[in-house]
Amino acid sequence: MFSGRVAVVTGSAQGLGKVFSGVLLERGSKVCISDVNQSELEKTYKEFKSKYAENVISQQCDVTDSEQLKEVFRKTKDTYGQLDLVVNNAGIVNEKNWQQCIDVNLNGTIRGTMLGMEYMRKDKGGKGGLILNMSSLAGIFPVNYTPAYAASKHGVIGYTRSWSMHPDVVNNGVRLVCLCPAFVDTDMIKMDDDSKFVGTDLAQQVIEKFGIMSTDHIIPVFVNAIEDEENNGSVISITLKGANKIPLPMP
Ligand SMILES: NC(=O)C1=CN([C@@H]2O[C@H](COP(=O)(O)OP(=O)(O)OC[C@H]3O[C@@H](n4cnc5c(N)ncnc54)[C@H](O)[C@@H]3O)[C@@H](O)[C@H]2O)C=CC1
Ligand SMILES: CCCCC/C=C\C=C\C(=O)C/C=C\C/C=C\CCCC(=O)O
């Protein structure tokens, strides 16, 4: 399932993207890691390269820049000859620069999804594959201290579910899945920058309610989403209590 498969992971210099890339490499996949943060990307690349040699390549990329993202896909296909998995993981929290928050989280995911479909659809020369989009519990519930972030993650769910129901995509072997974790122990949830949220107390209360998961807690759900080839269109919440498929709301 993993051996010889080829993946693109955005925002993979650190945090969940780095963990996901490590999981894929450990299981024999080939991965193009990419990130806007060149210095952190270089460090991660060196770390992976020493363990996984030719199975990892790296390409600096800001997901808000279509040309840079196209280069990631081009380089991956040129190097490994195929593409099987896209993890649209790059994300930020920023309520002051909410335009950037939407552009990275939602538009970046849209860009990566469109490229993924272009490279993986059978009618476009691909072999099918999986597009795994990172949403959040904030994509399912309203979050009063990060409204723009919540809007971006709600958008990711709507966008992913919509394509997963399109016959041209389904019939050409591409499936799409959304992961929606609660708080995970990465730099993202550090209270290091006021522009991240509107209301520190509000954020603190919700963190106390849900707790903080280690990145290890997300790995089995990530692996299962890849292994379960019947899984298309799922939106999966992940909390300390476990993982659950969120039913499609009906009017
Ligand atoms: N940590 C958490 O509590 C949760 C995180 N998520 C989502 O998981 C994903 C990964 O987040 P974490 O690993 O926690 O955060 P993180 O902050 O540790 O890592 C995010 C990575 O994305 C990169 N990035 C930021 N802007 C970028 C851009 N324009 N282009 C390319 N790369 C960019 C950063 O440089 C960083 O390496 C995000 O989409 C986030 O919204 C979802 C639910 C909970
Ligand atoms: C410490 C500051 C945290 C600011 C928020 C930072 C990042 C959050 C990223 C997430 O994706 C968090 C995940 C989910 C939000 C949690 C709960 C939503 C439900 C709210 C509720 O039930 O009241």
Side-chain angles (χ1 to χ4, degrees):
M1 178 54 67
F2 288 90
S3 183
R5 298 282 173 99
V6 178
V8 158
V9 185
T10 66
S12 40
Q14 64 173 54
L16 283 166
K18 180 179 175 184
V19 171
F20 294 152
S21 301
V23 165
L24 294 169
L25 288 163
E26 205 175 275
R27 286 165 168 75
S29 298
K30 298 168 186 179
V31 181
C32 179
I33 59 167
S34 68
D35 204 286
V36 70
N37 184 337
Q38 174 76 59
S39 57
E40 214 47 47
L41 182 67
E42 189 60 26
K43 273 195 245 165
T44 299
Y45 176 64
K46 281 191 182 140
E47 184 185 323
F48 284 155
K49 185 85 185 157
S50 69
K51 276 190 184 166
Y52 305 110
E54 270 63 54
N55 279 358
V56 63
I57 55 171
S58 134
Q59 177 67 33
Q60 200 256 340
C61 165
D62 180 340
V63 298
T64 68
D65 184 320
S66 299
E67 289 310 313
Q68 289 185 17
L69 195 52
K70 278 183 190 161
E71 187 51 33
V72 170
F73 282 74
R74 236 188 327 258
K75 183 171 174 176
T76 307
K77 178 81 191 287
D78 286 354
T79 309
Y80 297 127
Q82 67 188 67
L83 183 65
D84 308 287
L85 169 65
V86 177
V87 186
N88 288 306
N89 168 80
I92 59 167
V93 196
N94 195 324
E95 294 301 317
K96 285 221 173 85
N97 192 349
W98 53 267
Q99 295 92 336
Q100 176 74 359
C101 186
I102 302 289
D103 204 15
V104 175
N105 299 358
L106 178 56
N107 299 348
T109 298
I110 291 177
R111 292 180 190 102
T113 300
M114 293 188 82
L115 283 163
M117 292 191 294
E118 200 179 305
Y119 276 79
M120 296 192 300
R121 274 173 63 154
K122 287 181 184 165
D123 62 343
K124 295 184 187 281
K127 299 190 303 173
L130 170 65
I131 299 175
L132 206 159
N133 289 336
M134 283 309 285
S135 181
S136 160
L137 220 55
I140 301 167
F141 293 103
V143 185
N144 56 8
Y145 54 89
T146 52
Y149 179 79
S152 73
K153 295 300 186 179
H154 274 69
V156 168
I157 292 178
Y159 184 76
T160 308
R161 271 185 167 145
S162 299
W163 272 124
S164 76
M165 293 175 174
H166 199 296
D168 289 353
V169 174
V170 177
N171 295 336
N172 283 295
V174 177
R175 56 191 186 92
L176 298 98
V177 170
C178 252
L179 298 190
C180 305
F183 299 98
V184 185
D185 189 11
T186 68
D187 281 2
M188 179 172 271
I189 65 159
K190 283 187 184 157
M191 296 254 192
D192 53 358
D193 182 354
D194 277 356
S195 57
K196 276 187 172 175
F197 43 88
V198 278
T200 312
D201 293 354
L202 296 170
Q204 202 55 55
Q205 281 163 22
V206 181
I207 288 184
E208 274 161 29
K209 175 172 156 192
F210 284 96
I212 297 176
M213 298 178 284
S214 75
T215 54
D216 283 355
H217 202 85
I218 314 302
I219 294 173
V221 189
F222 173 75
V223 168
N224 186 261
I226 296 168
E227 285 180 336
D228 181 2
E229 290 186 312
E230 299 305 305
N231 183 351
N232 177 38
S234 288
V235 173
I236 304 166
S237 71
I238 313 167
T239 67
L240 281 167
K241 291 183 183 157
N244 281 300
K245 284 188 187 171
I246 304 297
L248 189 64
M250 279 305 184

